[in-house]
Amino acid sequence: MSTNRAKEIYCVQTIASVARVKWRPECKHHIATCSMMVDHNIYVWDIRRPFIPSAMFEEHKDVTTGIVWRHLHDPYFLLSGSKDSTLYQHIFKDASQPIERANPEGLCYSLFGDLAFAAKESLISSDSNRKPYLGDRRHPIFFKRKLDPAEQFEFISSSSALSVFEADAGCDASSMDWFVRTARQYLLTGRPLAELCDHNAKVAKELKRNQVKLHLFI
């Protein structure tokens, strides 16, 4: 049976239920939202990059009850009211930019022991002690977005360099012997938690399961 359900084009995940939505004038990809629950901030999203707001207004101290752009063809002034008994006129260029606080660093181990590490390109390029490693496949990854002429923000790019360190080629990745030995040698009770972690970390190290050792310490 066929349905006439509309197909989803964009989806923005927010941290609180959305109460008000207003498209930004003259900016077909920008949308302003606010919540009437725990989050008092007003967000302006670029629906092409829905994982982080393009702009944020944080003036209200209580629930934001309404938002509206000042003029049908003016994308730079936003009006908002709140339960804190205030009415604000926000100037878009004064909004905070969450991208400035984004952390372009990360660390992840694969199931077979490969390590992927991302850090700021400037940090890695300035490290004079960084030595080449045969198992290191280093690919600079740049996350850049073309500036919308309607935006008053200066263009901010967040870039990271991604390094991938492969596990020892001599190890048999398909072998599950490590799993059996881990089950036999791990301790889960009978000692203080710190001692259990130390013991199990040593077991993981002997089995060359360094990613498990790292998790135990974290």
Side-chain angles (χ1 to χ4, degrees), residues 27 63 86 90 102 104 122 192:
C27 302
V63 170
T86 60
H90 308 276
S122 58

Side-chain angles (χ1 to χ4, degrees), residues 22 25-27 63 80 90 95 97 111 116 127 130 135 150 158 165 168 191 197 204:
K22 296 290 182 181
E26 309 294 335
C27 302
V63 170
S80 66
H90 308 276
Q97 302 176 64
L111 177 64
D127 184 3
R130 191 176 192 276
S158 179
F165 298 89
D168 187 352
R191 298 184 186 180
C197 289

Side-chain angles (χ1 to χ4, degrees), residues 55-206:
M56 179 170 62
F57 299 101
E58 306 172 272
E59 287 75 14
H60 287 303
K61 306 303 180 185
D62 203 341
V63 170
T64 301
T65 55
I67 55 175
V68 64
W69 296 97
R70 192 176 71 173
H71 191 274
L72 183 62
H73 300 290
D74 186 351
Y76 304 122
F77 293 92
L78 178 68
L79 304 176
S80 66
S82 167
K83 284 187 176 181
D84 61 11
S85 302
T86 60
L87 175 65
Y88 276 98
Q89 175 175 271
H90 308 276
I91 303 176
F92 201 76
K93 65 182 180 64
D94 293 337
S96 62
Q97 302 176 64
I99 190 66
E100 293 180 333
R101 301 194 290 268
N103 182 10
E105 301 175 3
L107 176 71
C108 183
Y109 263 108
S110 76
L111 177 64
F112 300 111
D114 297 336
L115 171 66
F117 174 68
K120 290 182 179 179
E121 178 72 17
S122 58
L123 292 179
I124 292 182
S125 60
S126 63
D127 184 3
S128 59
N129 296 320
R130 191 176 192 276
K131 298 179 180 179
Y133 174 64
L134 295 178
D136 177 14
R137 301 195 307 269
R138 181 168 174 269
H139 306 286
I141 306 297
F142 297 95
F143 302 96
K144 293 186 177 180
R145 181 171 58 91
K146 186 177 180 180
L147 182 63
D148 189 329
E151 293 190 44
Q152 291 187 348
F153 291 149
E154 293 182 1
F155 178 51
I156 296 177
S157 62
S158 179
S159 62
S160 297
L162 177 65
S163 298
V164 178
F165 298 89
E166 295 179 321
D168 187 352
C171 297
D172 183 5
S174 62
S175 173
M176 292 298 289
D177 179 62
W178 62 268
F179 183 82
V180 176
R181 294 177 61 186
T182 297
R184 289 174 176 173
Q185 298 180 43
Y186 261 25
L187 295 178
L188 303 179
T189 60
R191 298 184 186 180
L193 179 60
E195 292 184 15
L196 290 174
C197 289
D198 287 340
H199 171 81
N200 294 339
K202 290 178 181 178
V203 173
K205 182 179 180 180
E206 291 173 357

